[in-house]
Amino acid sequence: AASGPRGRPPRARTRREPTASGLASSARRMASRWGTETHESRCYPIWQGFAGCMMTQDAAECEKLRADYFECLHGNRETTRQNAMNVERKRRIAAGLPVPTTVEEDVASGKIPQRLTL
């Protein structure tokens, strides 16, 4: 008989069946469920909406929720927008056009305090 790690017999692989919620147990325990300071991550409510949509709708109808969930996890649209704003800022500076100051510039000039207190 073949043995697994530490001389134990290997575990049988089983297919995870959907539970009463309609999701496999691994989907219910996904890593994005847990936040660093709360029992839920910032993306979990979006995941719940997406998962609920997938149980009742076609995948095509849930695409916006899927895109929002992936944006919450990875921030690709936000990064793309920030990069475009940086390119436009550099273009305006090179053309001699006025640009708003950045937060770093405002802190350095003393316009806003270095530490905000509540």
Side-chain angles (χ1 to χ4, degrees), residues 78-97:
E78 181 183 7
T79 302
T80 300
R81 185 168 188 266
Q82 185 66 44
N83 289 340
M85 290 179 358
N86 289 338
V87 167
E88 177 62 13
R89 178 178 173 78
K90 288 177 185 177
R91 186 195 67 78
R92 290 181 68 103
I93 290 171
L97 300 171

Side-chain angles (χ1 to χ4, degrees), residues 58-104:
D58 292 338
E61 294 176 24
C62 301
E63 183 56 35
K64 284 186 179 181
L65 288 170
R66 179 185 178 277
D68 287 346
Y69 177 62
F70 276 87
E71 175 61 22
C72 183
L73 288 176
H74 306 293
N76 294 336
R77 290 185 299 209
E78 181 183 7
T79 302
T80 300
R81 185 168 188 266
Q82 185 66 44
N83 289 340
M85 290 179 358
N86 289 338
V87 167
E88 177 62 13
R89 178 178 173 78
K90 288 177 185 177
R91 186 195 67 78
R92 290 181 68 103
I93 290 171
L97 300 171
V99 293
T101 57
T102 64
V103 173
E104 291 86 6

